[in-house]
Amino acid sequence: DGGITQSPKYLFRKEGQNVTLSCEQNLNHDAMYWYRQDPGQGLRLIYYSQIVNDFQKGDIAEGYSVSREKKESFPLTVTSAQKNPTAFYLCASSKDWTNEKLFFGSGTQLSVL
Amino acid sequence: GDSVTQMEGPVTLSEEAFLTINCTYTATGYPSLFWYVQYPGEGLQLLLKATKADDKGSNKGFEATYRKETTSFHLEKGSVQVSDSAVYFCALSPNFGNEKLTFGTGTRLTIIP
């Protein structure tokens, strides 16, 4: 079955530590996205990639980094510069960046120890 | 900038009750409008969409009509089931690319037997 897979489901970060969230899709989609979901707030865009080897900052990119070396993979690193990292992180993909049907992974809950 | 406002939850209904979840938007131009649903432990899924004024999106018994005069896109279902328990997100796209996709804060719906 085609889909989008995020791992791990739960992740804990120590102070000063970088952590990487995995996102893999086998839908052959060009575009991929990372969103942050906080209680009582809508989804906020962190980074997006329209095509492999390219990515752009979203609305809240500070303290995060990404790479897009392969079409199917779009990992997100939460760096120590992100002072409030506790949130639910959602990865999504779409056929291309203008196709508004997004497919979402099941998310990663990141918490700070 | 563009924004989406949803009715605050949580909403609790009995099985077979009528459902309305309100959504209003602010946008320039002629956006497309969406409802996404997030079932427990899963990512978001596109439920329905409408791309122009007076369009009605429908899926799985849910409906929403794009009302430009009231800038609204309310979600309705005539008879809810326990399996409809989820978080529902209203969203809009200005049709310039998915980096401008704007989500509401989500409304948690619980259906009791």
PDB file of all heavy atoms in Angstrom, chain B residues 34-62:
ATOM      1  N   PHE B  34     -11.402  23.557   2.174  1.00  0.00           N
ATOM      2  CA  PHE B  34     -11.254  22.129   2.450  1.00  0.00           C
ATOM      3  C   PHE B  34     -11.712  21.807   3.871  1.00  0.00           C
ATOM      4  O   PHE B  34     -11.651  22.647   4.768  1.00  0.00           O
ATOM      5  CB  PHE B  34      -9.767  21.707   2.351  1.00  0.00           C
ATOM      6  CG  PHE B  34      -9.101  22.135   1.089  1.00  0.00           C
ATOM      7  CD1 PHE B  34      -8.535  23.393   0.991  1.00  0.00           C
ATOM      8  CD2 PHE B  34      -9.038  21.286  -0.001  1.00  0.00           C
ATOM      9  CE1 PHE B  34      -7.923  23.815  -0.187  1.00  0.00           C
ATOM     10  CE2 PHE B  34      -8.430  21.694  -1.174  1.00  0.00           C
ATOM     11  CZ  PHE B  34      -7.868  22.959  -1.264  1.00  0.00           C
ATOM     12  N   TRP B  35     -12.121  20.558   4.049  1.00  0.00           N
ATOM     13  CA  TRP B  35     -12.236  19.971   5.371  1.00  0.00           C
ATOM     14  C   TRP B  35     -11.340  18.731   5.404  1.00  0.00           C
ATOM     15  O   TRP B  35     -11.421  17.861   4.533  1.00  0.00           O
ATOM     16  CB  TRP B  35     -13.672  19.565   5.710  1.00  0.00           C
ATOM     17  CG  TRP B  35     -14.494  20.704   6.213  1.00  0.00           C
ATOM     18  CD1 TRP B  35     -15.400  21.443   5.517  1.00  0.00           C
ATOM     19  CD2 TRP B  35     -14.485  21.234   7.538  1.00  0.00           C
ATOM     20  NE1 TRP B  35     -15.960  22.410   6.320  1.00  0.00           N
ATOM     21  CE2 TRP B  35     -15.413  22.309   7.568  1.00  0.00           C
ATOM     22  CE3 TRP B  35     -13.795  20.911   8.716  1.00  0.00           C
ATOM     23  CZ2 TRP B  35     -15.666  23.051   8.723  1.00  0.00           C
ATOM     24  CZ3 TRP B  35     -14.044  21.654   9.863  1.00  0.00           C
ATOM     25  CH2 TRP B  35     -14.972  22.715   9.861  1.00  0.00           C
ATOM     26  N   TYR B  36     -10.454  18.706   6.415  1.00  0.00           N
ATOM     27  CA  TYR B  36      -9.619  17.550   6.681  1.00  0.00           C
ATOM     28  C   TYR B  36     -10.105  16.911   7.989  1.00  0.00           C
ATOM     29  O   TYR B  36     -10.588  17.607   8.890  1.00  0.00           O
ATOM     30  CB  TYR B  36      -8.154  17.948   6.845  1.00  0.00           C
ATOM     31  CG  TYR B  36      -7.393  18.085   5.550  1.00  0.00           C
ATOM     32  CD1 TYR B  36      -7.447  19.258   4.811  1.00  0.00           C
ATOM     33  CD2 TYR B  36      -6.603  17.047   5.070  1.00  0.00           C
ATOM     34  CE1 TYR B  36      -6.744  19.393   3.621  1.00  0.00           C
ATOM     35  CE2 TYR B  36      -5.889  17.164   3.881  1.00  0.00           C
ATOM     36  CZ  TYR B  36      -5.967  18.335   3.165  1.00  0.00           C
ATOM     37  OH  TYR B  36      -5.267  18.456   1.996  1.00  0.00           O
ATOM     38  N   VAL B  37      -9.910  15.596   8.124  1.00  0.00           N
ATOM     39  CA  VAL B  37     -10.289  14.886   9.343  1.00  0.00           C
ATOM     40  C   VAL B  37      -9.079  14.112   9.861  1.00  0.00           C
ATOM     41  O   VAL B  37      -8.291  13.558   9.089  1.00  0.00           O
ATOM     42  CB  VAL B  37     -11.498  13.941   9.090  1.00  0.00           C
ATOM     43  CG1 VAL B  37     -11.207  12.926   7.998  1.00  0.00           C
ATOM     44  CG2 VAL B  37     -11.906  13.230  10.373  1.00  0.00           C
ATOM     45  N   GLN B  38      -8.935  14.131  11.178  1.00  0.00           N
ATOM     46  CA  GLN B  38      -7.837  13.411  11.841  1.00  0.00           C
ATOM     47  C   GLN B  38      -8.437  12.430  12.831  1.00  0.00           C
ATOM     48  O   GLN B  38      -8.918  12.822  13.897  1.00  0.00           O
ATOM     49  CB  GLN B  38      -6.904  14.397  12.539  1.00  0.00           C
ATOM     50  CG  GLN B  38      -5.682  13.768  13.162  1.00  0.00           C
ATOM     51  CD  GLN B  38      -4.771  14.813  13.805  1.00  0.00           C
ATOM     52  OE1 GLN B  38      -5.231  15.855  14.272  1.00  0.00           O
ATOM     53  NE2 GLN B  38      -3.473  14.546  13.829  1.00  0.00           N
ATOM     54  N   TYR B  39      -8.411  11.135  12.486  1.00  0.00           N
ATOM     55  CA  TYR B  39      -8.888  10.104  13.406  1.00  0.00           C
ATOM     56  C   TYR B  39      -7.824   9.827  14.458  1.00  0.00           C
ATOM     57  O   TYR B  39      -6.630  10.081  14.232  1.00  0.00           O
ATOM     58  CB  TYR B  39      -9.248   8.840  12.628  1.00  0.00           C
ATOM     59  CG  TYR B  39     -10.387   9.041  11.654  1.00  0.00           C
ATOM     60  CD1 TYR B  39     -10.152   9.113  10.277  1.00  0.00           C
ATOM     61  CD2 TYR B  39     -11.697   9.187  12.104  1.00  0.00           C
ATOM     62  CE1 TYR B  39     -11.189   9.324   9.392  1.00  0.00           C
ATOM     63  CE2 TYR B  39     -12.743   9.393  11.215  1.00  0.00           C
ATOM     64  CZ  TYR B  39     -12.475   9.466   9.865  1.00  0.00           C
ATOM     65  OH  TYR B  39     -13.503   9.683   8.983  1.00  0.00           O
ATOM     66  N   PRO B  40      -8.211   9.306  15.604  1.00  0.00           N
ATOM     67  CA  PRO B  40      -7.251   9.080  16.692  1.00  0.00           C
ATOM     68  C   PRO B  40      -6.026   8.301  16.242  1.00  0.00           C
ATOM     69  O   PRO B  40      -6.141   7.238  15.624  1.00  0.00           O
ATOM     70  CB  PRO B  40      -8.088   8.302  17.714  1.00  0.00           C
ATOM     71  CG  PRO B  40      -9.498   8.734  17.449  1.00  0.00           C
ATOM     72  CD  PRO B  40      -9.594   8.938  15.971  1.00  0.00           C
ATOM     73  N   GLY B  41      -4.853   8.840  16.551  1.00  0.00           N
ATOM     74  CA  GLY B  41      -3.614   8.152  16.244  1.00  0.00           C
ATOM     75  C   GLY B  41      -3.192   8.190  14.790  1.00  0.00           C
ATOM     76  O   GLY B  41      -2.234   7.504  14.407  1.00  0.00           O
ATOM     77  N   GLU B  42      -3.883   8.968  13.980  1.00  0.00           N
ATOM     78  CA  GLU B  42      -3.570   9.025  12.553  1.00  0.00           C
ATOM     79  C   GLU B  42      -3.261  10.438  12.085  1.00  0.00           C
ATOM     80  O   GLU B  42      -3.483  11.407  12.816  1.00  0.00           O
ATOM     81  CB  GLU B  42      -4.741   8.468  11.746  1.00  0.00           C
ATOM     82  CG  GLU B  42      -5.090   7.017  12.045  1.00  0.00           C
ATOM     83  CD  GLU B  42      -6.215   6.511  11.179  1.00  0.00           C
ATOM     84  OE1 GLU B  42      -6.541   7.167  10.165  1.00  0.00           O
ATOM     85  OE2 GLU B  42      -6.776   5.451  11.507  1.00  0.00           O
ATOM     86  N   GLY B  43      -2.759  10.555  10.869  1.00  0.00           N
ATOM     87  CA  GLY B  43      -2.570  11.861  10.268  1.00  0.00           C
ATOM     88  C   GLY B  43      -3.871  12.385   9.695  1.00  0.00           C
ATOM     89  O   GLY B  43      -4.903  11.721   9.732  1.00  0.00           O
ATOM     90  N   LEU B  44      -3.817  13.586   9.141  1.00  0.00           N
ATOM     91  CA  LEU B  44      -5.010  14.186   8.555  1.00  0.00           C
ATOM     92  C   LEU B  44      -5.315  13.543   7.203  1.00  0.00           C
ATOM     93  O   LEU B  44      -4.418  13.130   6.469  1.00  0.00           O
ATOM     94  CB  LEU B  44      -4.801  15.699   8.337  1.00  0.00           C
ATOM     95  CG  LEU B  44      -4.950  16.616   9.537  1.00  0.00           C
ATOM     96  CD1 LEU B  44      -3.814  16.443  10.509  1.00  0.00           C
ATOM     97  CD2 LEU B  44      -5.029  18.073   9.071  1.00  0.00           C
ATOM     98  N   GLN B  45      -6.623  13.498   6.883  1.00  0.00           N
ATOM     99  CA  GLN B  45      -7.055  13.017   5.579  1.00  0.00           C
ATOM    100  C   GLN B  45      -7.995  14.055   4.979  1.00  0.00           C
ATOM    101  O   GLN B  45      -8.825  14.626   5.708  1.00  0.00           O
ATOM    102  CB  GLN B  45      -7.841  11.709   5.690  1.00  0.00           C
ATOM    103  CG  GLN B  45      -7.155  10.577   6.366  1.00  0.00           C
ATOM    104  CD  GLN B  45      -8.100   9.403   6.554  1.00  0.00           C
ATOM    105  OE1 GLN B  45      -9.091   9.246   5.831  1.00  0.00           O
ATOM    106  NE2 GLN B  45      -7.812   8.554   7.525  1.00  0.00           N
ATOM    107  N   LEU B  46      -7.885  14.267   3.693  1.00  0.00           N
ATOM    108  CA  LEU B  46      -8.817  15.172   3.037  1.00  0.00           C
ATOM    109  C   LEU B  46     -10.211  14.547   3.054  1.00  0.00           C
ATOM    110  O   LEU B  46     -10.412  13.422   2.588  1.00  0.00           O
ATOM    111  CB  LEU B  46      -8.384  15.440   1.603  1.00  0.00           C
ATOM    112  CG  LEU B  46      -9.273  16.382   0.799  1.00  0.00           C
ATOM    113  CD1 LEU B  46      -9.285  17.772   1.411  1.00  0.00           C
ATOM    114  CD2 LEU B  46      -8.808  16.456  -0.648  1.00  0.00           C
ATOM    115  N   LEU B  47     -11.188  15.283   3.578  1.00  0.00           N
ATOM    116  CA  LEU B  47     -12.567  14.799   3.657  1.00  0.00           C
ATOM    117  C   LEU B  47     -13.378  15.303   2.457  1.00  0.00           C
ATOM    118  O   LEU B  47     -14.068  14.540   1.789  1.00  0.00           O
ATOM    119  CB  LEU B  47     -13.214  15.261   4.955  1.00  0.00           C
ATOM    120  CG  LEU B  47     -14.652  14.858   5.203  1.00  0.00           C
ATOM    121  CD1 LEU B  47     -14.803  13.338   5.249  1.00  0.00           C
ATOM    122  CD2 LEU B  47     -15.167  15.473   6.509  1.00  0.00           C
ATOM    123  N   LEU B  48     -13.307  16.607   2.198  1.00  0.00           N
ATOM    124  CA  LEU B  48     -14.014  17.164   1.060  1.00  0.00           C
ATOM    125  C   LEU B  48     -13.431  18.529   0.714  1.00  0.00           C
ATOM    126  O   LEU B  48     -12.707  19.114   1.517  1.00  0.00           O
ATOM    127  CB  LEU B  48     -15.520  17.260   1.321  1.00  0.00           C
ATOM    128  CG  LEU B  48     -15.997  17.968   2.579  1.00  0.00           C
ATOM    129  CD1 LEU B  48     -16.075  19.467   2.364  1.00  0.00           C
ATOM    130  CD2 LEU B  48     -17.347  17.435   3.029  1.00  0.00           C
ATOM    131  N   LYS B  49     -13.772  19.008  -0.470  1.00  0.00           N
ATOM    132  CA  LYS B  49     -13.259  20.296  -0.914  1.00  0.00           C
ATOM    133  C   LYS B  49     -14.281  20.990  -1.810  1.00  0.00           C
ATOM    134  O   LYS B  49     -15.183  20.359  -2.357  1.00  0.00           O
ATOM    135  CB  LYS B  49     -11.950  20.132  -1.685  1.00  0.00           C
ATOM    136  CG  LYS B  49     -12.082  19.360  -2.966  1.00  0.00           C
ATOM    137  CD  LYS B  49     -10.728  19.176  -3.663  1.00  0.00           C
ATOM    138  CE  LYS B  49     -10.362  20.355  -4.500  1.00  0.00           C
ATOM    139  NZ  LYS B  49      -9.157  20.097  -5.351  1.00  0.00           N
ATOM    140  N   ALA B  50     -14.112  22.308  -1.941  1.00  0.00           N
ATOM    141  CA  ALA B  50     -14.902  23.112  -2.886  1.00  0.00           C
ATOM    142  C   ALA B  50     -13.995  24.201  -3.437  1.00  0.00           C
ATOM    143  O   ALA B  50     -13.238  24.811  -2.688  1.00  0.00           O
ATOM    144  CB  ALA B  50     -16.121  23.724  -2.201  1.00  0.00           C
ATOM    145  N   THR B  51     -14.070  24.415  -4.717  1.00  0.00           N
ATOM    146  CA  THR B  51     -13.102  25.314  -5.347  1.00  0.00           C
ATOM    147  C   THR B  51     -13.680  26.650  -5.789  1.00  0.00           C
ATOM    148  O   THR B  51     -12.920  27.557  -6.126  1.00  0.00           O
ATOM    149  CB  THR B  51     -12.446  24.640  -6.560  1.00  0.00           C
ATOM    150  OG1 THR B  51     -13.486  24.259  -7.472  1.00  0.00           O
ATOM    151  CG2 THR B  51     -11.672  23.411  -6.137  1.00  0.00           C
ATOM    152  N   LYS B  52     -15.011  26.788  -5.770  1.00  0.00           N
ATOM    153  CA  LYS B  52     -15.574  28.091  -6.142  1.00  0.00           C
ATOM    154  C   LYS B  52     -16.900  28.291  -5.421  1.00  0.00           C
ATOM    155  O   LYS B  52     -17.501  27.343  -4.895  1.00  0.00           O
ATOM    156  CB  LYS B  52     -15.755  28.199  -7.648  1.00  0.00           C
ATOM    157  CG  LYS B  52     -16.686  27.193  -8.264  1.00  0.00           C
ATOM    158  CD  LYS B  52     -16.707  27.392  -9.769  1.00  0.00           C
ATOM    159  CE  LYS B  52     -17.752  26.521 -10.437  1.00  0.00           C
ATOM    160  NZ  LYS B  52     -17.465  25.094 -10.295  1.00  0.00           N
ATOM    161  N   ALA B  53     -17.345  29.532  -5.434  1.00  0.00           N
ATOM    162  CA  ALA B  53     -18.562  29.912  -4.716  1.00  0.00           C
ATOM    163  C   ALA B  53     -19.749  29.055  -5.146  1.00  0.00           C
ATOM    164  O   ALA B  53     -19.916  28.739  -6.332  1.00  0.00           O
ATOM    165  CB  ALA B  53     -18.853  31.387  -4.946  1.00  0.00           C
ATOM    166  N   ASP B  54     -20.549  28.652  -4.139  1.00  0.00           N
ATOM    167  CA  ASP B  54     -21.762  27.846  -4.294  1.00  0.00           C
ATOM    168  C   ASP B  54     -21.483  26.377  -4.581  1.00  0.00           C
ATOM    169  O   ASP B  54     -22.419  25.577  -4.662  1.00  0.00           O
ATOM    170  CB  ASP B  54     -22.693  28.415  -5.373  1.00  0.00           C
ATOM    171  CG  ASP B  54     -23.147  29.827  -5.047  1.00  0.00           C
ATOM    172  OD1 ASP B  54     -23.331  30.122  -3.846  1.00  0.00           O
ATOM    173  OD2 ASP B  54     -23.278  30.642  -5.974  1.00  0.00           O
ATOM    174  N   ASP B  55     -20.213  25.993  -4.725  1.00  0.00           N
ATOM    175  CA  ASP B  55     -19.883  24.579  -4.848  1.00  0.00           C
ATOM    176  C   ASP B  55     -20.214  23.867  -3.549  1.00  0.00           C
ATOM    177  O   ASP B  55     -20.025  24.425  -2.463  1.00  0.00           O
ATOM    178  CB  ASP B  55     -18.377  24.408  -5.120  1.00  0.00           C
ATOM    179  CG  ASP B  55     -18.068  24.282  -6.586  1.00  0.00           C
ATOM    180  OD1 ASP B  55     -18.990  24.397  -7.402  1.00  0.00           O
ATOM    181  OD2 ASP B  55     -16.884  24.072  -6.900  1.00  0.00           O
ATOM    182  N   LYS B  56     -20.654  22.622  -3.649  1.00  0.00           N
ATOM    183  CA  LYS B  56     -20.874  21.796  -2.466  1.00  0.00           C
ATOM    184  C   LYS B  56     -19.924  20.617  -2.543  1.00  0.00           C
ATOM    185  O   LYS B  56     -19.944  19.859  -3.511  1.00  0.00           O
ATOM    186  CB  LYS B  56     -22.313  21.301  -2.405  1.00  0.00           C
ATOM    187  CG  LYS B  56     -22.593  20.398  -1.209  1.00  0.00           C
ATOM    188  CD  LYS B  56     -24.010  19.829  -1.231  1.00  0.00           C
ATOM    189  CE  LYS B  56     -25.020  20.860  -0.846  1.00  0.00           C
ATOM    190  NZ  LYS B  56     -26.390  20.272  -0.692  1.00  0.00           N
ATOM    191  N   GLY B  57     -19.085  20.487  -1.511  1.00  0.00           N
ATOM    192  CA  GLY B  57     -18.253  19.305  -1.390  1.00  0.00           C
ATOM    193  C   GLY B  57     -18.983  18.265  -0.554  1.00  0.00           C
ATOM    194  O   GLY B  57     -19.699  18.618   0.390  1.00  0.00           O
ATOM    195  N   SER B  58     -18.798  16.985  -0.880  1.00  0.00           N
ATOM    196  CA  SER B  58     -19.464  15.948  -0.102  1.00  0.00           C
ATOM    197  C   SER B  58     -18.636  14.677  -0.114  1.00  0.00           C
ATOM    198  O   SER B  58     -17.942  14.372  -1.099  1.00  0.00           O
ATOM    199  CB  SER B  58     -20.866  15.675  -0.644  1.00  0.00           C
ATOM    200  OG  SER B  58     -20.798  15.210  -1.968  1.00  0.00           O
ATOM    201  N   ASN B  59     -18.727  13.936   1.007  1.00  0.00           N
ATOM    202  CA  ASN B  59     -17.996  12.673   1.124  1.00  0.00           C
ATOM    203  C   ASN B  59     -18.435  11.997   2.408  1.00  0.00           C
ATOM    204  O   ASN B  59     -18.562  12.651   3.461  1.00  0.00           O
ATOM    205  CB  ASN B  59     -16.488  12.917   1.149  1.00  0.00           C
ATOM    206  CG  ASN B  59     -15.681  11.637   1.112  1.00  0.00           C
ATOM    207  OD1 ASN B  59     -16.154  10.605   0.642  1.00  0.00           O
ATOM    208  ND2 ASN B  59     -14.451  11.706   1.586  1.00  0.00           N
ATOM    209  N   LYS B  60     -18.658  10.720   2.377  1.00  0.00           N
ATOM    210  CA  LYS B  60     -18.981   9.913   3.571  1.00  0.00           C
ATOM    211  C   LYS B  60     -20.180  10.474   4.329  1.00  0.00           C
ATOM    212  O   LYS B  60     -20.236  10.369   5.558  1.00  0.00           O
ATOM    213  CB  LYS B  60     -17.774   9.835   4.502  1.00  0.00           C
ATOM    214  CG  LYS B  60     -16.554   9.166   3.892  1.00  0.00           C
ATOM    215  CD  LYS B  60     -15.416   9.074   4.902  1.00  0.00           C
ATOM    216  CE  LYS B  60     -14.202   8.412   4.287  1.00  0.00           C
ATOM    217  NZ  LYS B  60     -13.076   8.325   5.243  1.00  0.00           N
ATOM    218  N   GLY B  61     -21.128  11.094   3.659  1.00  0.00           N
ATOM    219  CA  GLY B  61     -22.300  11.652   4.310  1.00  0.00           C
ATOM    220  C   GLY B  61     -22.111  13.067   4.815  1.00  0.00           C
ATOM    221  O   GLY B  61     -23.068  13.700   5.271  1.00  0.00           O
ATOM    222  N   PHE B  62     -20.890  13.582   4.753  1.00  0.00           N
ATOM    223  CA  PHE B  62     -20.603  14.964   5.149  1.00  0.00           C
ATOM    224  C   PHE B  62     -20.774  15.885   3.939  1.00  0.00           C
ATOM    225  O   PHE B  62     -20.501  15.498   2.811  1.00  0.00           O
ATOM    226  CB  PHE B  62     -19.170  15.099   5.666  1.00  0.00           C
ATOM    227  CG  PHE B  62     -18.919  14.430   6.975  1.00  0.00           C
ATOM    228  CD1 PHE B  62     -18.518  13.105   7.036  1.00  0.00           C
ATOM    229  CD2 PHE B  62     -19.071  15.132   8.163  1.00  0.00           C
ATOM    230  CE1 PHE B  62     -18.280  12.484   8.249  1.00  0.00           C
ATOM    231  CE2 PHE B  62     -18.833  14.530   9.381  1.00  0.00           C
ATOM    232  CZ  PHE B  62     -18.439  13.195   9.429  1.00  0.00           C
TER     233      PHE B  62
END
